[in-house]
């Protein structure tokens, strides 16, 4: 007869259909270490409340440790009859302790347990996600340092706009991931609240000590309201937003890498270890890592939508719908931990085709703004300067010339301010170096950013 945690008032057993619908142990089994840590904390509190003797506490803690070992070694496994992780672990405890095992459930419900387990799991794994983000940032920064001086065509609307330092562009992605890390760090403050002690929803009549449990489990405080404690899944939804945002950032970086690796761009060459081939076309080298980063952002966004949709309209407090919180959360963590190392490796090992990038940096009259700004420095209203340079561009297009190839006469015809020395600003390194105000693409500013970002990353 399968062991259930709620058999007392039922005469018949549950139908197979209900059992199959209800079971969650196939996905919540990963909460074992957190559930057992919370159980140890609860056992100590029961002991201090005089509800477990010294000897009972010792045997209880010993059995919980042994159960953890047995789970880790695969010696203790959930059976098809175990509804969830809590049911399975109580069975394990009863197997080890007999009736003493049944004492641990006093003052505790699966409702406050599961909320506690999920918070513990997420706070733990959020730290791992941050470490993987730092590794990706480190890879981006190493490339940025190599390419602070490398000019690339800077784009808006995917059209050549103005030359930029390729390092500057890579660091733009690092800033996005740094905000993601900040978000997770900030999230953790709100996630660090312990629901244990709330019981099913109303707290317990037993003299428990939720603050002591909170402290033992590394939380900053116990939940101040037992109903909120078991109903609240903000921490999961907020984490899923952070994960979705990371997904969006990975997707945008992934899309850029797909473009850069294309025959049309040829800005980078991917390392063999981070690219794939075709089963039919022998010449192919595909950016699957970047594409999967782009593709998997869809499920990260979907996980957030899934949980928000589950939560909306739920009355207080615990409802079984809340069991649906776990798969999106686990999937988000798993997805990030798959994608981040692959992207870090792809970025760290890609070879940049500096010559190709630099030679196309001025293409598409990308230095036209530099010319217009020179005229402004000579007292011309920007409106007129914009117009004059616009004329030059059309003239160049019609005559198949570059701005730098115009003769003195051709320049003078458009504006008296276009003297021969204006050609001095028509060079890419000059255009980069000139953008030297805070936040600009000048290589010196890129190096400043690197110093500041490295400090920020080290502080994380
Ligand atoms: N397995 C449930 C969950 O994941 C926790 C158990 C609470 N079940 C209940 N019938 N109150 O949310």
């Amino acid at each position: 007869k399968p062991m259930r945690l709620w058999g007392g008032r039922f005469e018949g057993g549950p139908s197979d259909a209900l059992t199959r619908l209800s079971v969650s142990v196939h996905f919540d089994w990963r909460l074992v270490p957190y559930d057992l840590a919370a159980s140890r904390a609860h056992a100590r509190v029961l002991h201090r409340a005089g509800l477990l003797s010294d000897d009972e506490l010792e045997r209880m803690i010993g059995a919980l440790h042994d159960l953890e070992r047995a789970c880790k070694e695969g010696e203790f496994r959930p059976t098809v009859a175990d509804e969830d992780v809590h049911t399975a672990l109580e069975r394990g405890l009863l197997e080890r302790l007999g009736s003493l095992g049944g004492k641990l459930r006093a003052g505790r419900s699966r409702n406050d347990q599961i909320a506690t387990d999920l918070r513990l799991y997420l706070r733990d794994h959020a730290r791992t996600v941050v470490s993987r983000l730092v590794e990706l940032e480190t890879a981006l920064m190493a490339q940025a340092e190599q390419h602070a001086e490398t000019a690339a065509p800077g784009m808006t609307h995917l059209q050549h706009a103005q030359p930029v330092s390729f390092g500057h562009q890579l660091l733009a992605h690092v800033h996005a991931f740094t905000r993601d890390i900040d978000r997770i760090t900030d999230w953790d403050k709100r996630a660090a609240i312990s629901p244990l002690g709330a019981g099913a929803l109303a707290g317990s009549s037993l003299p428990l000590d939720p603050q002591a449990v909170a402290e033992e489990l590394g939380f900053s405080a116990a939940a101040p309201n037992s109903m909120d404690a078991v109903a609240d899944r903000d921490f999961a939804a907020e984490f899923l937003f952070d994960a979705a945002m990371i997904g969006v950032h990975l997707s945008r970086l992934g899309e850029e890498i797909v473009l850069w690796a294309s025959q049309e761009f040829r800005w980078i060459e991917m390392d063999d270890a981070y690219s794939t081939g075709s089963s039919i076309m022998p010449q192919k080298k595909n950016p699957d890592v970047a594409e999967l980063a782009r593709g998997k952002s869809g499920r990260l966004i979907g996980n957030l939508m899934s949980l928000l949709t589950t939560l909306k309209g739920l009355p207080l407090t615990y409802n079984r719908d809340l069991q649906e919180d776990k798969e999106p959360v686990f999937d988000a963590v798993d997805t990030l931990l798959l994608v981040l190392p692959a992207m870090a490796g792809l970025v760290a090992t890609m070879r940049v085709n500096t010559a190709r990038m630099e030679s196309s940096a001025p293409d598409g009259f990308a230095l036209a703004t530099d010319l217009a700004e020179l005229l402004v420095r000579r007292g011309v209203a920007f409106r007129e300067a914009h117009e004059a340079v616009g004329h030059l561009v059309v003239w160049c297009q019609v005559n198949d010339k570059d701005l730098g190839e115009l003769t003195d006469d051709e320049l003078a015809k458009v504006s008296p301010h276009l003297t021969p020395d204006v050609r001095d600003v028509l060079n890419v390194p000059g255009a980069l170096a000139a953008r030297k105000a805070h936040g600009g693409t000048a290589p010196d500013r890129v190096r400043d950013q690197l110093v500041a970002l490295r400090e920020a990353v080290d502080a994380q």
Side-chain angles (χ1 to χ4, degrees):
K1 176 163 173 278
M3 194 209 75
R4 288 192 307 277
L5 299 182
W6 41 268
R9 66 104 71 201
F10 290 83
E11 284 181 10
S15 65
D16 284 351
L18 165 59
T19 303
R20 278 197 302 273
L21 173 65
S22 182
V23 68
S24 61
V25 77
H26 53 292
F27 58 79
D28 65 22
W29 186 243
R30 67 168 81 189
L31 295 175
V32 161
Y34 308 99
D35 199 76
L36 289 171
S39 286
R40 288 193 293 268
H42 186 64
R44 290 197 184 95
V45 161
L46 289 177
H47 170 249
R48 254 175 286 144
L51 299 168
L52 285 182
S53 70
D54 291 355
D55 170 62
E56 285 175 327
L57 175 67
E58 200 178 311
R59 284 164 57 211
M60 184 79 80
I61 298 286
L64 288 166
H65 279 301
D66 183 62
L67 191 50
E68 182 152 19
R69 176 204 56 75
C71 289
K72 216 177 274 169
E73 290 171 7
E75 172 195 313
F76 183 81
R77 266 184 279 255
T79 70
V80 280
D82 293 325
E83 181 183 310
D84 56 20
V85 62
H86 320 296
T87 318
L89 292 178
E90 181 162 317
R91 178 173 59 79
L93 206 57
L94 291 170
E95 283 167 14
R96 282 164 178 73
L97 294 174
S99 64
L100 171 60
K103 284 201 169 189
L104 190 61
R105 226 202 289 164
R108 194 171 72 161
S109 155
R110 285 183 292 165
N111 298 356
D112 59 348
Q113 254 183 297
I114 192 66
T116 305
D117 293 0
L118 192 59
R119 282 179 190 256
L120 287 171
Y121 167 86
L122 255 191
R123 294 188 68 210
D124 199 13
H125 286 77
R127 281 183 209 106
T128 313
V129 168
V130 167
S131 306
R132 297 293 97 81
L133 277 167
V134 166
E135 282 158 20
L136 174 57
E137 288 189 318
T138 304
L140 285 162
M141 289 191 291
Q143 290 283 7
E145 186 164 38
Q146 290 291 307
H147 296 288
E149 309 257 357
T150 303
M155 303 202 182
T156 62
H157 312 267
L158 207 57
Q159 306 288 324
H160 282 223
Q162 294 175 344
V164 292
S165 146
F166 187 54
H168 194 53
Q169 179 156 356
L170 292 169
L171 291 189
H173 290 286
V174 176
H175 285 284
F177 291 121
T178 297
R179 289 192 295 277
D180 292 330
I181 293 175
D182 280 352
R183 253 187 293 275
I184 292 179
T185 309
D186 189 59
W187 162 86
D188 188 68
K189 289 183 214 142
R190 285 178 294 286
I193 298 298
S194 170
L196 217 59
L201 79 163
S204 176
S205 66
L206 301 172
L208 305 177
D209 187 353
Q211 293 284 12
V213 171
E215 201 172 314
E216 176 168 344
L217 294 176
F219 289 111
S220 62
N225 180 311
S226 60
M227 295 180 77
D228 185 41
V230 294
D232 170 27
R233 291 296 182 276
D234 293 9
F235 69 96
E238 212 184 320
F239 178 85
L240 288 178
F241 172 81
D242 295 352
M245 197 73 243
I246 296 168
V248 168
H249 291 149
L250 286 167
S251 179
R252 295 183 74 171
L253 174 61
E255 169 62 11
E256 294 222 310
I257 292 176
V258 169
L259 286 171
W260 299 343
S262 70
Q263 191 61 32
E264 283 63 35
F265 275 70
R266 267 184 288 132
W267 288 10
I268 60 159
E269 168 90 22
M270 296 171 297
D271 194 80
D272 285 358
Y274 292 94
S275 39
T276 49
S278 158
S279 53
I280 175 167
M281 299 163 283
Q283 86 288 4
K284 286 280 272 181
K285 195 168 180 186
N286 290 327
D288 288 29
V289 169
E291 291 171 287
L292 285 166
R294 197 176 56 189
K296 283 182 187 287
S297 66
R299 62 196 294 156
L300 290 167
I301 295 166
N303 288 332
L304 171 63
M305 293 310 131
S306 164
L307 181 60
L308 288 175
T309 310
T310 298
L311 295 177
K312 88 171 264 302
L314 279 192
L316 297 183
T317 52
Y318 181 85
N319 300 272
R320 193 60 185 278
D321 315 44
L322 290 176
Q323 182 165 293
E324 293 294 308
D325 62 356
K326 276 169 282 302
E327 285 163 295
V329 161
F330 295 158
D331 184 74
V333 169
D334 293 347
T335 300
L336 288 176
L337 296 183
L338 279 177
V339 174
L340 286 167
M343 283 293 272
L346 175 62
V347 169
T349 57
M350 70 187 189
R351 283 175 298 281
V352 177
N353 190 345
T354 310
R356 159 116 183 146
M357 211 184 254
E358 296 210 306
S359 75
S360 64
D363 288 357
F365 308 103
L367 293 168
T369 312
D370 293 82
L371 199 51
E373 287 181 354
L374 174 71
L375 294 183
V376 167
R377 286 199 291 278
R378 293 182 173 181
V380 181
F382 185 73
R383 192 186 156 77
E384 279 161 45
H386 187 283
E387 179 107 349
V389 177
H391 285 313
L392 277 184
V393 166
V394 173
W395 208 93
C396 284
Q397 276 178 327
V398 170
N399 295 284
D400 197 22
K401 277 188 171 195
D402 235 346
L403 284 172
E405 292 164 358
L406 293 168
T407 64
D408 294 357
D409 281 353
E410 288 165 342
L411 286 170
K413 236 184 280 169
V414 171
S415 162
H417 300 286
L418 290 169
T419 48
D421 57 345
V422 300
R423 290 198 193 89
D424 293 351
V425 300
L426 294 176
N427 73 87
V428 169
L432 293 195
R435 285 166 174 77
K436 59 182 188 293
H438 179 81
T441 193
D444 283 346
R445 293 296 82 75
V446 174
R447 283 185 277 264
D448 292 346
Q449 280 181 68
L450 263 171
V451 171
L453 280 167
R454 286 202 165 120
E455 262 171 37
V457 166
D458 286 348
Q460 264 142 14

